[in-house]
């Protein structure tokens, strides 16, 4: 277990180096290997989510961020990235659209049969 833990730390450090170089495919490969043995590794989940974000793989990015935030709800960077992903996928609009529909329905309830407002 100690050797495996040390190997994960080294892979995480190497993944960070590849982030700095913009080598996102290598980041994804390294973090995949970490997450195979440590599925809730905070740094690996965040770094792989960054790679998915760069590749515009929104659903995969969102899935990693949700797992990360389930285990580490205090991670503000992950929460901010999740909001960005939801904005890009329109999920924030869906939430707001529900409120807009409710507001419109409430407004329609105020209309009289002749089309005037009460």
């Amino acid at each position: 277990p100690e050797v495996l833990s040390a190997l994960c730390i080294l892979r995480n450090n190497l993944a960070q180096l590849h982030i700095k170089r913009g080598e996102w495919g290598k980041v994804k490969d390294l973090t995949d290997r970490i997450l195979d043995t440590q599925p809730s590794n905070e740094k690996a989940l965040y770094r792989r989510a960054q790679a998915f974000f760069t590749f515009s793989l929104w659903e995969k990015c969102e899935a990693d961020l949700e797992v990360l935030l389930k285990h580490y709800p205090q991670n503000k960077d992950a929460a901010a990235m999740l909001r960005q992903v939801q904005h890009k996928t329109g999920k924030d609009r869906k939430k707001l659209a529900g409120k807009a529909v409710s507001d419109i329905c409430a407004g329609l309830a105020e209309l009289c049969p002749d089309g005037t407002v009460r």
Side-chain angles (χ1 to χ4, degrees):
E2 286 181 33
V3 173
L4 190 57
S5 180
L7 187 58
C8 287
I9 290 168
L10 291 172
R11 285 182 177 147
N12 251 326
N13 291 343
L14 192 54
Q16 182 61 33
L17 172 71
H18 290 302
I19 287 172
K20 299 279 185 193
R21 293 180 172 182
E23 297 170 339
W24 295 104
K26 291 179 181 180
V27 173
K28 190 215 171 279
D29 292 342
L30 284 164
T31 53
D32 281 346
R33 294 182 73 188
I34 296 165
L35 294 168
D36 284 344
T37 57
Q38 295 180 345
S40 62
N41 184 294
E42 184 176 17
K43 289 180 180 180
L45 283 165
Y46 185 76
R47 290 174 179 156
R48 188 169 72 175
Q50 287 179 295
F52 288 145
F53 190 95
T54 301
F55 295 138
S56 299
L57 297 171
W58 309 124
E59 290 176 6
K60 291 183 176 193
C61 181
E62 183 177 32
D64 276 356
L65 292 169
E66 287 174 348
V67 170
L68 192 161
L69 289 168
K70 176 182 170 192
H71 294 283
Y72 306 95
Q74 77 287 357
N75 190 315
K76 292 179 182 166
D77 292 333
M81 189 188 302
L82 182 59
R83 283 191 301 275
Q84 286 181 304
V85 170
Q86 290 173 337
H87 178 73
K88 289 188 178 292
T89 59
K91 290 186 179 176
D92 60 343
R93 283 186 223 112
K94 288 178 188 170
K95 289 178 187 172
L96 294 174
K99 181 178 180 340
V101 169
S102 296
D103 291 348
I104 290 169
C105 289
L108 288 174
E110 296 293 318
L111 287 177
C112 296
D114 65 356
T116 59
V117 180
R118 287 188 237 176

